[in-house]
């Protein structure tokens, strides 16, 4: 049995762009598809770290080959969300990435649910 789930991640584009009123616009690359083991957090250490946010968090343990691929504030599409029919990259995303953490041979990514989605 495979625990991997279909997810998409849209990388945040560096740099600052503004609309005609001077408001900062955050832009994202086209979301890419991945198959990762993503689970709700449940370990005691995670529960202590995230406290009340625990119910809004999920965690993926992915191969070290993805090192430096993802960054804080990239967007993710989990739990069946996907970028189909998106007009603006990231509009259908329902999670935001915390800074990825390097382990010995894996990377740990925490996803926080975007409120209102």
């Amino acid at each position: 049995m495979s625990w991997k789930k279909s997810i998409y991640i849209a990388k945040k584009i560096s740099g600052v762009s503004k609309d005609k009123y001077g408001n900062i616009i955050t832009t994202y690359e086209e979301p890419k598809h991945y198959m990762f083991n993503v689970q709700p957090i449940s370990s005691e250490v995670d529960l202590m770290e995230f406290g009340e946010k625990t119910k809004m968090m999920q965690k993926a343990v992915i191969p070290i080959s993805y090192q430096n691929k993802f960054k804080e504030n990239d967007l993710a599409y989990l739990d069946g969300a996907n970028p189909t029919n998106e007009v603006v990259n990231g509009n259908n995303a329902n999670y935001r990435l915390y800074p990825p953490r390097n382990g010995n041979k894996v990377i740990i990514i925490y996803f926080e649910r975007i409120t209102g989605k």
Side-chain angles (χ1 to χ4, degrees):
M1 171 188 257
S2 175
W3 292 99
K4 292 184 178 180
K5 298 177 185 175
S6 176
I7 72 166
Y8 293 85
I9 296 179
K11 294 178 67 172
K12 182 179 175 185
I13 296 174
S14 298
V16 176
S17 57
K18 296 183 179 184
D19 65 13
K20 64 182 182 180
Y21 303 105
N23 300 315
I24 295 174
I25 300 171
T26 304
T27 54
Y28 298 90
E29 293 179 3
E30 184 175 332
K32 292 194 168 73
H33 181 256
Y34 300 94
M35 294 295 291
F36 292 146
N37 181 352
V38 180
Q39 302 291 327
I41 61 173
S42 59
S43 75
E44 189 171 329
V45 173
D46 289 338
L47 296 172
M48 286 174 38
E49 180 175 353
F50 295 109
E52 292 181 10
K53 287 186 177 183
T54 299
K55 292 182 180 177
M56 298 176 54
M57 305 294 295
Q58 293 199 50
K59 172 179 168 178
V61 179
I62 64 174
I64 196 74
S65 59
Y66 287 98
Q67 188 171 28
N68 300 319
K69 177 88 172 161
F70 307 114
K71 304 232 179 304
E72 180 177 19
N73 293 319
D74 288 349
L75 297 178
Y77 305 68
L78 304 176
D79 304 328
N82 65 64
T84 304
N85 298 323
E86 255 183 353
V87 176
V88 176
N89 293 339
N91 272 1
N92 294 348
N94 56 351
Y95 282 82
R96 182 175 322 307
L97 275 69
Y98 268 61
R101 301 173 184 186
N102 294 328
N104 288 335
K105 295 187 179 195
V106 296
I107 297 170
I108 300 167
I109 299 177
Y110 289 94
F111 303 93
E112 180 180 13
R113 189 171 227 346
I114 299 170
T115 53
K117 291 198 175 190

